Amino acid sequence: MINLESLEAEAKKIIPTGGFGYISGGSEDNWTLAMNRKAFQHRQIAPKALSDIEKPELDTKVFGIDLKTPVMMAPAAAQGLSHSKGETDTAKGIAAVGGLMAQSTYSSTSIADTAAAAPDAPQFFQLYMSKDWDFNEYLLDEAKKANVKAIILTVDGYRESDIINNFAFPLPMANLASYSDGDGKGKGIAEIYASAAQKIGPDDVRRIKEYSGLPVIVKGVQTPEDAIRAITAGAEGIYVSNHGGRQLNGGPASFDVLEVVAKAVNGRVPIIFDSGIRRGSDVFKALASGADLVAFARPVLYGLALGGAEGVQSVFEHIDNELEIIMQLAGAKTIADVKKTNLLNIKY
């Protein structure tokens, strides 16, 4: 593996067109998706010589969980599109590096099976709130039984590539199948998401937290106001993300809003960041801008397609190795040191 960007072209040869479009595409004309990558050029890392660092340490502790890496798996639906073992192999690969996985409501494998694939590794569960509260309760009950550590509350959007490819999910969605006769197989994106709740507010954060007894992390925060609103509602984590450019096209790159959101949060709760992560330097910059954990998904799904659990493990090992090199060059021995680093803002 030369770099994570190179995996996309190789994975495209393996994943069927509709599935690849679903994984790789963003909303509308992909403008925000592209800006997510460009935004990392807006801040720079100052090199530090004579820092006397031989082996940087990637260990960190977030949400009371000890982790070997600050990089986690962002929630991503239908991983069976990439590999026959889907989320179970993803879970195994992440567990091998001591990382954290977030699994989706629309997973190819059930909450229980995904958790059982890596029984000693921490996992979060991403809840797409349904208009059917009984289904929400069912999912939360399953998550609790699977010993997930937190609930990520999120929503999603519309992608033209799915329409162009006439994409319908070719595989069952295990959590839907276990709850009702319909399993999601053969349904288009619009049909699947039509059942999801579009009206989500602070009361939903409180309701999910009270019912589940688990920490609730609000995903999709892009403004200080939303961060404060979520914390006031009882959220125990803020997830700065534009869902990899898959929701509101024309919105800002997530990295460009991370620092201002982090200042508003002011250390009251942990912050997860995703959208556009492809390099160890991206991880470094996100941590230095206020994130406590940094997440990504597309490169992991490409690694899954190319090598199953070992492919996933290799993706995490590669980005961790890049992060170690950046830390050494930037004079940061630990993740705590990275978070104290002042980035440069030089306009070219």
Side-chain angles (χ1 to χ4, degrees):
M1 189 187 304
I2 303 301
N3 54 60
L4 298 188
E5 293 277 13
S6 66
L7 298 180
E8 183 170 355
E10 294 303 312
K12 188 176 183 180
K13 300 173 185 177
I14 296 173
I15 305 172
T17 299
F20 181 81
Y22 174 75
I23 293 168
S24 63
S27 58
E28 296 184 1
D29 63 1
N30 292 333
W31 185 85
T32 297
L33 186 154
M35 291 304 105
N36 279 338
R37 287 296 304 132
K38 287 189 176 182
F40 288 100
Q41 300 174 14
H42 297 164
R43 308 189 76 190
Q44 303 86 39
I45 305 166
K48 292 185 179 178
L50 301 176
S51 56
D52 200 25
I53 296 173
E54 182 176 3
K55 179 66 176 174
E57 300 166 4
L58 302 190
D59 300 66
T60 190
K61 187 170 186 175
V62 187
F63 296 102
I65 303 168
D66 291 316
L67 299 168
K68 297 293 185 184
T69 171
V71 186
M72 65 172 279
M73 176 66 184
Q79 294 177 29
L81 296 172
S82 292
H83 191 278
S84 61
K85 294 184 179 178
E87 289 81 0
T88 58
D89 260 23
T90 303
K92 290 176 182 178
I94 295 169
V97 297
L100 172 66
M101 176 177 179
Q103 54 170 302
S104 170
T105 292
Y106 298 125
S107 294
S108 302
T109 56
S110 69
I111 299 170
D113 287 346
T114 304
D120 298 321
Q123 293 186 9
F124 289 170
F125 176 69
Q126 174 215 36
L127 175 68
Y128 278 106
M129 265 190 62
S130 173
K131 293 172 182 174
D132 178 359
W133 182 251
D134 288 341
F135 182 47
N136 294 331
E137 288 187 349
Y138 168 78
L139 292 172
L140 293 171
D141 289 342
E142 291 297 299
K144 286 190 291 183
K145 285 191 288 186
N147 196 33
V148 305
K149 305 302 181 185
I151 302 298
I152 298 173
L153 175 62
T154 192
V155 294
D156 211 324
Y158 164 88
R159 288 170 293 282
E160 288 183 1
S161 61
D162 298 329
I163 307 302
I164 293 168
N165 295 325
N166 194 28
F167 177 65
F169 287 102
L171 304 167
M173 291 180 174
N175 295 322
L176 276 65
S178 61
Y179 179 74
S180 66
D181 293 335
D183 61 9
K185 183 178 179 180
K187 292 184 178 181
I189 303 300
E191 188 178 358
I192 291 287
Y193 291 143
S195 64
Q198 279 83 48
K199 184 180 178 182
I200 301 174
D203 287 344
D204 295 304
V205 176
R206 299 185 188 99
R207 189 177 186 184
I208 293 165
K209 182 177 178 179
E210 289 172 3
Y211 182 82
S212 69
L214 294 169
V216 175
I217 301 162
V218 176
K219 182 175 187 281
V221 174
Q222 293 275 96
T223 67
E225 294 80 10
D226 270 356
I228 293 168
R229 188 177 296 114
I231 293 171
T232 302
E236 295 180 48
I238 295 297
Y239 197 141
V240 177
S241 169
N242 58 32
H243 312 288
R246 294 167 69 83
Q247 189 179 50
L248 175 62
N249 195 57
S254 285
F255 182 65
D256 281 339
V257 302
L258 173 58
E259 186 176 32
V260 68
V261 172
K263 286 181 178 177
V265 172
N266 195 29
R268 284 177 286 180
V269 299
I271 294 174
I272 303 173
F273 170 85
D274 77 21
S275 299
I277 295 292
R278 295 295 182 274
R279 288 282 190 179
S281 57
D282 302 335
V283 177
F284 187 103
K285 290 177 182 180
L287 293 169
S289 299
D292 297 289
L293 281 175
V294 178
F296 64 165
R298 287 186 180 98
V300 182
L301 298 181
Y302 299 148
L304 176 65
L306 295 164
E310 291 182 357
V312 170
Q313 180 178 344
S314 294
V315 167
F316 276 86
E317 288 174 344
H318 183 89
I319 201 165
D320 279 352
N321 182 59
E322 285 191 354
L323 177 59
E324 288 177 348
I325 293 169
I326 298 295
M327 288 172 67
Q328 191 171 29
L329 294 172
K333 172 73 172 176
T334 66
I335 297 303
D337 293 336
V338 176
K339 291 163 74 172
K340 295 174 186 173
T341 301
N342 292 316
L343 299 178
L344 302 178
N345 294 282
I346 302 172
K347 295 188 186 298
Y348 292 97

